Amino acid sequence: MKIWKMDFDLDRYDNFRPKEKWTIEEIKSFDGRGHFNSWHTIQLERLEPEKGLPLSDAPGFYSHIPVFGERAVLVLKKYIDNNAEILTARYNEKNYYIINVTNVLNCINFEESEYKTFPEGKRIMVFEKYAFIKEKVIDQDLFKVREETVKRPFVSDAFRDSVINNGLTGFSFELVWECED
């Protein structure tokens, strides 16, 4: 069993940003809280169109807020359902989807993890090594951890394999934990 941190290939593909600038509070609100009931379709624009890079199936957006194209949503829907909201966005008459990960788990094994805390000693500043409670991450295909709700989401082998086997572009994955099944 492996857990991966999901990221995006920002060197080979262009990224998006919201056409109407978001506040820090709006960005931080994608911390596991639902947005579906108050959501309205947003317009996207390219971050660096002057570079001439293509768009991918998963253009970069904010690190903890993935954006997927239609093909990625279709391929990954079974992993997204029950773990995230699929919120509509548009770019040049094409549909894109903000993936608001709402599956936030209390699953860190602190005894085996390595991390630094802020000076007050209570909040985690950064994890240098992740360790998970196996029973809490089995069959969890897309999630965030309670200690890092505004950081990149985690995915299962099944999610990552589906991306690779279907040739979806723009994704990158960092292996952060592995245990025997």
Side-chain angles (χ1 to χ4, degrees):
M1 173 180 197
K2 296 177 185 173
I3 301 291
W4 304 83
K5 216 165 201 193
M6 179 172 56
D7 204 356
F8 307 96
D9 187 344
L10 307 178
D11 296 325
R12 296 184 350 182
Y13 300 98
D14 201 0
N15 311 301
F16 280 138
R17 65 179 168 210
K19 199 166 194 171
E20 292 181 18
K21 195 165 176 86
W22 285 7
T23 65
I24 295 296
E25 290 77 25
E26 288 173 304
I27 296 166
K28 285 184 174 182
S29 74
F30 285 80
D31 60 358
R33 287 180 266 177
H35 288 271
F36 190 80
N37 291 331
S38 61
W39 189 255
H40 66 279
T41 301
I42 66 160
Q43 297 297 315
L44 301 170
E45 64 183 12
R46 286 177 175 244
L47 186 62
E48 300 175 302
E50 68 279 0
K51 287 188 175 181
L53 296 173
L55 289 170
S56 68
D57 293 310
F61 192 57
Y62 294 106
S63 64
H64 68 290
I65 311 171
V67 170
F68 293 173
E70 286 191 6
R71 186 166 159 255
V73 169
L74 287 172
V75 167
L76 300 170
K77 189 160 179 14
K78 69 181 179 182
Y79 305 113
I80 298 169
D81 285 348
N82 302 316
N83 294 314
E85 297 173 326
I86 301 172
L87 307 172
T88 56
R90 304 244 333 137
Y91 172 73
N92 281 357
E93 306 304 317
K94 282 188 166 183
N95 290 326
Y96 285 87
Y97 302 91
I98 292 175
I99 307 302
N100 180 29
V101 179
T102 54
N103 185 23
V104 179
L105 303 178
N106 182 11
C107 61
I108 296 291
N109 178 337
F110 287 99
E111 291 176 8
E112 293 183 24
S113 294
E114 295 174 13
Y115 54 91
K116 291 183 181 175
T117 60
F118 285 98
E120 89 282 347
K122 295 178 183 174
R123 293 180 301 132
I124 304 284
M125 185 184 325
V126 65
F127 278 94
E128 295 170 340
K129 176 187 165 200
Y130 291 94
F132 296 96
I133 300 166
K134 182 179 177 181
E135 296 74 26
K136 293 190 176 186
V137 295
I138 288 175
D139 297 324
Q140 298 293 327
D141 292 307
L142 174 62
F143 64 94
K144 291 182 180 183
V145 297
R146 187 179 67 181
E147 295 75 17
E148 293 185 326
T149 57
V150 290
K151 296 216 175 163
R152 294 182 287 149
F154 297 90
V155 299
S156 66
D157 270 335
F159 184 106
R160 179 181 172 271
D161 290 349
S162 190
V163 167
I164 293 167
N165 294 337
N166 286 282
L168 294 176
T169 59
F171 288 88
S172 69
F173 300 95
E174 173 191 358
L175 179 63
V176 294
W177 184 70
E178 184 173 7
C179 80
E180 294 182 20
D181 288 332

